[in-house]
Amino acid sequence: MNKPFSASVETTRLGIMHLKRYWEKQQAIRNGILNNADMSEEWQLDYTLLVALNLGLEQTVRYLYIGGASIDEFEDWILEVNGGSIPEENIRQFNARILQRDEPKKREIEQVLSEEELHFWEENGYLIIRGAIPKEDCEATVKVICDFIGADLSRPETWYTAHPEKQGVMVQLFQHELLEQNRRSPKVLKAYEQLWNRTDLWLNTDRCGFNPPVTESHPYQGFPLHWDVSLKQPIPLGLQGILYLTDTAENQGAFTLVPGFHRKIEAWLSSLPDGENPRDQDFYALGAKPIAAQAGDFIIWHQALPHGSSPNLAHSPRIVQYINYAPIDLEIKKEWI
């Protein structure tokens, strides 16, 4: 990146590297000097910085773009979001990776997934981890989310009330002790480690979801099936995950994907007529499947699968939390297709 930004090793008063460079790049984007494509080679590093600071991507970008904050104001906001301090171990580990001084800690990967589950994963590109979170923790998390957006599950009229932190079916809630506890579920972490076949994974800080039943006056607010990755072949391994906080039937706005598409996508792309946008196709015709599961179940999927929520045709909301682990050197394709 041939821009006059600070070196990644430079620190600010928080003591974490790359923060000043990240802030400078965001200011350049805000002022029209830089575009997102110019940042692609450092995207994963930027994202891991936010992970180390317990920040959500959307909340950070919104704060910087709308507020145009100075670096001092940005750091004050980071501390405020985190209750006054950043874990020193987060800063130490992130700085060590920047300096390439520390080797990732080696420990044995616990084989929590059975041969049957691994075979299902290879064939279908997704897994359901049953009972990843206790039911009582799910219920408590649901209350946190509902209180945050002003929804009362016993009063359907409150499910559709406009709230500044509710965007479609997404809820921009990132920091809460229960959300963090759910993220650190041993079952979730061990499944990620086994699928990645490595233990040097970073836990993200992601948002939640609230998908109420569709009505005549309140149509579905979610996204159609999509990818969150470039379709430049070959698509590298990348995982994503969603925690069901409520029992969810297939017709209840269930998370939906196209099973096994990670094994077919290259041939499918080649079969499209010249000029066809692969992101504008009818993925439901490819065998999209809504995934019914119970509160506390966790779904992991391969990023090559088209996926998304679905219209809720039942009688109660679908409430979820997004959780992911990834290595700092996750491969990101520079060309977006």
Side-chain angles (χ1 to χ4, degrees), residues 36-334:
N36 282 312
D38 295 326
M39 296 175 58
S40 61
E41 64 190 54
E42 291 187 0
W43 191 93
Q44 186 60 20
L45 180 60
D46 292 345
Y47 186 68
T48 307
L49 169 70
L50 301 187
V51 168
L53 293 171
N54 298 323
L55 300 175
L57 174 62
E58 294 84 357
Q59 69 175 158
T60 304
V61 169
R62 183 170 60 174
Y63 174 78
L64 290 174
Y65 285 9
I66 294 177
S70 68
I71 184 65
D72 287 336
E73 291 170 329
F74 185 32
E75 289 185 295
D76 287 341
W77 176 79
I78 292 171
L79 289 172
E80 179 184 355
V81 167
N82 279 277
S85 64
I86 308 296
E88 291 184 8
E89 183 62 12
N90 287 23
I91 296 175
R92 189 201 69 77
Q93 288 185 6
F94 183 80
N95 289 352
R97 293 309 302 269
I98 292 287
L99 297 171
Q100 298 182 339
R101 286 181 177 172
D102 285 1
E103 288 293 325
K105 293 181 180 179
K106 304 291 185 182
R107 59 182 173 81
E108 186 175 350
I109 297 173
E110 187 173 346
Q111 304 299 301
V112 296
L113 302 176
S114 67
E115 289 297 323
E116 182 180 1
E117 287 174 316
L118 291 174
H119 177 71
F120 185 91
W121 166 262
E122 292 295 333
E123 289 295 311
N124 296 281
Y126 78 95
L127 275 178
I128 303 176
I129 311 301
R130 302 290 183 183
I133 307 295
K135 297 277 189 181
E136 56 269 24
D137 290 348
C138 292
E139 293 171 359
T141 307
V142 165
K143 185 178 188 308
V144 167
I145 295 170
C146 288
D147 289 348
F148 181 69
I149 60 174
D152 183 339
L153 293 185
S154 67
R155 297 171 57 212
E157 68 272 15
T158 66
W159 301 348
Y160 308 95
T161 304
H163 188 280
E165 301 300 338
K166 187 169 67 172
Q167 299 174 4
V169 300
M170 297 297 186
V171 175
Q172 306 301 320
L173 174 61
F174 298 87
Q175 288 83 21
H176 190 279
E177 59 183 359
L178 270 173
L179 299 180
E180 189 66 14
Q181 179 178 298
N182 295 343
R183 292 177 184 128
R184 297 187 180 279
S185 157
K187 280 190 175 182
V188 170
L189 171 59
K190 290 173 183 178
Y192 270 110
E193 288 182 342
Q194 189 171 352
L195 292 175
W196 273 112
N197 195 32
R198 56 193 295 183
T199 59
D200 58 329
L201 303 178
W202 287 77
L203 170 63
N204 75 350
T205 300
D206 211 339
R207 53 194 171 176
C208 304
F210 185 93
N211 185 2
V214 170
T215 69
E216 288 187 6
S217 55
H218 297 92
Y220 175 56
Q221 297 293 311
F223 296 103
L225 297 188
H226 63 279
W227 290 279
D228 300 305
V229 65
S230 172
L231 302 183
K232 176 74 173 178
Q233 296 297 302
I235 295 178
L237 176 64
L239 309 179
Q240 297 174 265
I242 186 171
L243 171 66
Y244 278 13
L245 296 169
T246 52
D247 293 348
T248 302
E250 287 188 358
N251 69 340
Q252 195 180 339
F255 174 71
T256 300
L257 46 72
V258 181
F261 206 69
H262 62 307
R263 297 184 293 105
K264 307 171 184 176
I265 187 168
E266 186 171 0
W268 178 78
L269 287 170
S270 298
S271 72
L272 293 177
D274 290 344
E276 280 284 323
N277 185 344
R279 297 179 186 272
D280 291 339
Q281 306 304 307
D282 181 5
F283 301 116
Y284 294 92
L286 297 175
K289 175 181 175 60
I291 308 299
Q294 302 299 302
D297 291 344
F298 186 77
I299 304 168
I300 301 180
W301 72 94
H302 192 297
Q303 66 179 355
L305 303 187
H307 63 276
S309 57
S310 58
N312 187 342
L313 305 179
H315 303 290
S316 58
R318 184 210 72 166
I319 306 176
V320 300
Q321 179 183 349
Y322 299 92
I323 302 173
N324 201 14
Y325 283 84
I328 197 172
D329 57 355
L330 175 70
E331 182 181 353
I332 304 292
K333 299 287 188 181
K334 294 181 181 180

